[in-house]
Amino acid sequence: MTRASLDKQPHEVASMFDDVAANYDLTNDVISLGQDRRWRKQVAKAVAARPGEKVLDLAAGTGTSSLPFTADGAYVVPCDFSLGMLREGKKRHPWLPLTAGDAMRLPFRDGVFDAVTISFGLRNVHETDAALRELYRVAKPGGRVVICEFSHATWAPFRTVYEEYLMKALPPVARAVSSNPDAYVYLAESIQSWPDQPGLARKLQQAGWENVAWRNLTGGVVALHRGTKPK
């Protein structure tokens, strides 16, 4: 298996990420033209982790996305279902409590975390609604959720250019820098089939989150959604 099907079977997606773990962070940096670093800074600002807080970083991969939360003094639990990603993360960040877990059945008690976040991973979960309910379950009353995900560009001319890049320019770039370029073709296709910003906001509300809002980054190529769990 070299490319996960768009029905997102968990074992296929996990295997795909196992295959790209070693060069994953570098590949993302190249393919996003360096924008992924800016996006992750915006995630850290939105989470606004405080010293002593417990933060769940779901789909954390190698743990790179978790480092800003530790820098803010929070206790962060990086969680991912790709063992290959977690092994690579353990080599790089041996002090992080990297945890294997399925987004649809998280291995945590109810009401544990002050903040829960997932960046560029919700799109790969087999059942989005189940994952949003699980995030809600493990958050404390009054806790917050931050989701950073690829979305839909809001300006039509830019959207056309962006979609052309996804389907035509991204595959050859991926072939040059990734150990499994087919994985990035899958990722491009999954972006196009993903709900738009209002659509994801509705899913958050249906899962129980309140005060749901979003902010577009890079013209809507990425959207940052936020919400709170009622006290």
Side-chain angles (χ1 to χ4, degrees), residues 103 127-138 206-209:
E127 295 180 19
T128 303
D129 296 334
L132 292 176
R133 290 193 298 269
E134 276 292 271
L135 287 172
Y136 183 89
R137 179 184 66 79
V138 302
Q206 289 165 0
W209 296 98

Side-chain angles (χ1 to χ4, degrees), residues 154-205:
T154 54
W155 187 44
F158 179 54
R159 182 166 58 247
T160 300
V161 172
Y162 172 57
E163 290 180 354
E164 286 287 311
Y165 170 73
L166 278 178
M167 301 314 299
K168 294 183 178 179
L170 187 147
V173 172
R175 279 194 292 272
V177 297
S178 173
S179 57
N180 184 358
D182 280 346
Y184 288 87
V185 177
Y186 153 78
L187 292 175
E189 292 175 349
S190 69
I191 290 169
Q192 291 190 317
S193 64
W194 184 246
D196 61 10
Q197 291 88 326
L200 181 54
R202 284 192 294 272
K203 286 181 175 294
L204 278 160
Q205 290 167 338

Side-chain angles (χ1 to χ4, degrees), residues 103-138:
M104 297 184 293
R105 293 176 295 276
L106 291 173
F108 309 109
R109 298 191 310 271
D110 296 356
V112 174
F113 296 99
D114 298 283
V116 293
T117 183
I118 179 170
S119 294
F120 309 111
L122 187 61
R123 194 180 70 258
N124 300 316
V125 177
H126 183 54
E127 295 180 19
T128 303
D129 296 334
L132 292 176
R133 290 193 298 269
E134 276 292 271
L135 287 172
Y136 183 89
R137 179 184 66 79
V138 302

